[in-house]
Amino acid sequence: MRDRIFGAMDRGGSATDLGQMVQRLRAEHATSGVYATAWRDYESVCRARGEATLPLTAAKVLAMAVDYVARRGNQAKGVSALVTRLKAYALTTGVWSMSADDEERMRGDSRFLVGHFPYAVKPAAAITYEELDQALAWLARQPPTDWTRMMRAVMTVMHGGLLRGSETTDGHLLVRDAKRVHASDREGRGGYRLELAWRKKRKLAFDPRDAYTMIVKRDNEARCPVQALDDYLAKARLRPEEPLFVERARSGKATGGGLSYDSLTRQIREVFQAAGVVNAYQFTGRGFRAGGHTDLYREVRDFNLIGLLGGWKDPKSQLLYLRLNCLSFAHLSELIV
C-alpha cells in the first residue's frame, strides 16, 4: 500500500489526482480482507434466518454479533471491531442506512451482550525449537523449491527476530527492508537488520531502536535464519520493492502478492502436521514471537536485550511471551552470589 502511494507521488499529477488515488485505495482496503469477511458473516446470519440482507438494521447487526459470540465461540471483545468493519464495508459500498441514534443504541446493546460473555485471554501456543526443528527437518526432505526455501526462511526469521505477524505478512516487510550485514571484526558473525515500518510504536516516546530488529548468523545451519534468508533471496529473484514473503504454490511459483497472515497460519499447520508435530493445528503465526523469546532467553538469559530486539516497552507485557518459569532456584543461583 505504501509503495503505491509513493509511486503515485513520484508520477506527479495534480493534488486532486493524488488525493483521489488515496480515496480509491481506502475504498479498496475497506471492501477486502477482514472488512469483506465481516460483511459475509452478516449475510450468512441473515440468510440462515430467512431474512433479506438489506436494509441493514441494528437488530440484524446484533444478530450477527450474537452468532459471532454465542454460536461460533469467538471472544466477546471482538464484537466492537466486527461491527466497525461491517460499517466500513457498508459505508464504502453505499448500503449503510442506520442513523446516528440507531448506531449509538446498537453499540450500547453490543456492550450489554459482551458483558454476558466474559472472555479469557489465551496466549498463542509458542513455537519453540521443539516444533521448529521438526518442521525444518521435514522441509529439508522435500524437493527444493522457492516455496520450501521461503517457508524455512519465514519460520526461522520470525522466530529469530521475535516478529509479529503484522510486521512480516501482508506485504509489510519488503525485500529492501532486509539489510545484509557481513561478518567482520566490527559486526561479529553478521546477519540481517530488518527495518520494521509496521512495528508498534509509542508516538510520544519514539525510540529509533523500535524501527528495526536484527537476526544474527548462527553456527547451527539448520536453525540459522540468516542462512535460510540468504538461500531464499539467492533463488527467488525478487525486486527490492516486492514483499519479502509472497503467496506461493508448493511448486514455488508466486501466485499473488504479500503472504497473508491467514495463509501463513494455514501453511504452518500443514507443515507441522506433515512433520509430525503434536497438536499441529493449535499453532498460528503468533507463536513464533513467544517461541523465539522463550528459546532466546534460554540461551542468553538477558531479559532487557530480548526486550530491545522484540520492541517491548513494558516488561510486564514482555513477560507474557516467556513460556518458562523465570523464578526458579537454578536461575536465582546463577545470578545471586
Side-chain angles (χ1 to χ4, degrees):
M1 192 70 74
R2 59 178 177 169
D3 282 337
R4 292 170 69 179
I5 293 173
F6 284 133
M9 292 173 64
D10 292 341
R11 286 193 297 272
S14 70
T16 298
D17 291 339
L18 180 59
Q20 288 177 339
M21 188 276 296
V22 174
Q23 290 173 335
R24 289 193 297 273
L25 288 178
R26 182 187 177 193
E28 178 184 318
H29 179 69
T31 54
S32 61
V34 294
Y35 302 93
T37 299
W39 181 256
R40 286 194 295 269
D41 288 347
Y42 170 74
E43 286 183 315
S44 176
V45 170
C46 291
R47 186 167 54 248
R49 296 188 172 271
E51 194 164 3
T53 302
L54 298 176
L56 192 149
T57 67
K60 287 188 280 189
V61 174
L62 283 169
M64 176 191 68
V66 172
D67 183 79
Y68 178 81
V69 174
R71 184 182 70 83
R72 295 167 58 192
N74 291 299
Q75 292 188 5
K77 70 173 184 177
V79 166
S80 178
L82 179 67
V83 172
T84 297
R85 291 165 183 165
L86 177 70
K87 179 182 178 181
Y89 182 97
L91 282 171
T92 304
T93 55
V95 298
W96 182 256
S97 55
M98 269 192 269
S99 69
D101 288 342
D102 286 340
E103 183 182 356
E104 183 178 357
R105 180 176 178 181
M106 180 194 64
R107 295 281 183 178
D109 291 338
S110 295
R111 289 191 292 272
F112 169 80
L113 171 67
V114 167
H116 286 78
F117 287 87
Y119 63 90
V121 178
K122 297 179 181 179
I127 299 174
T128 65
Y129 281 131
E130 181 177 355
E131 296 79 28
L132 192 58
D133 285 346
Q134 288 180 263
L136 293 174
W138 181 84
L139 286 169
R141 295 193 296 270
Q142 308 313 303
T145 67
D146 283 348
W147 177 79
T148 58
R149 284 184 283 265
M150 185 187 77
M151 291 304 297
R152 180 185 171 215
V154 71
M155 289 195 290
T156 54
V157 167
M158 289 187 71
H159 178 275
L162 314 179
L163 295 178
R164 300 178 179 90
S166 60
E167 296 164 346
T168 314
T169 59
D170 297 309
H172 292 165
L173 187 63
L174 306 181
V175 174
R176 66 174 178 233
D177 295 331
K179 307 293 197 313
R180 186 66 164 92
V181 177
H182 295 283
S184 67
D185 291 340
R186 178 183 176 185
E187 303 293 355
R189 293 195 301 274
Y192 279 91
R193 174 184 166 120
L194 303 175
E195 305 289 342
L196 302 175
W198 288 81
R199 173 167 277 190
K200 291 182 179 178
K201 295 182 176 70
R202 290 177 60 185
K203 296 177 182 176
L204 297 180
F206 177 71
D207 185 331
R209 292 170 297 188
D210 280 347
Y212 69 92
T213 190
M214 302 162 74
I215 51 175
V216 68
K217 189 170 178 62
R218 288 176 167 269
D219 293 332
N220 184 333
E221 289 192 5
R223 290 179 172 177
C224 181
V226 177
Q227 183 67 53
L229 196 51
D230 280 347
D231 292 344
Y232 169 59
L233 288 174
K235 298 290 185 179
R237 298 179 297 280
L238 297 168
R239 298 188 302 275
E241 67 277 9
E242 289 187 284
L244 184 59
F245 303 118
V246 301
E247 298 286 356
R248 293 184 182 278
R250 290 292 182 97
S251 65
K253 181 181 178 180
T255 58
L259 178 67
S260 73
Y261 177 81
D262 288 344
S263 180
L264 171 65
T265 291
R266 175 179 54 78
Q267 293 182 66
I268 289 167
R269 290 171 173 173
E270 290 174 354
V271 170
F272 281 17
Q273 178 74 13
V277 174
V278 176
N279 297 324
Y281 283 87
Q282 73 175 319
F283 296 99
T284 70
R286 293 173 56 212
F288 290 110
R289 186 163 166 83
H293 189 306
T294 300
D295 287 331
L296 188 56
Y297 184 82
R298 288 191 179 108
E299 291 182 87
V300 303
R301 298 278 174 163
D302 190 332
F303 199 67
N304 292 329
L305 172 63
I306 296 171
L308 287 175
L309 287 173
W312 281 282
K313 291 288 189 180
D314 184 354
K316 289 184 179 179
S317 298
Q318 181 185 347
L319 188 60
L320 296 175
Y321 288 81
L322 186 58
R323 302 292 198 268
L324 54 81
N325 185 3
C326 297
L327 294 177
S328 68
F329 285 105
H331 184 206
L332 290 176
S333 297
E334 292 175 5
L335 299 176
I336 299 174
V337 179

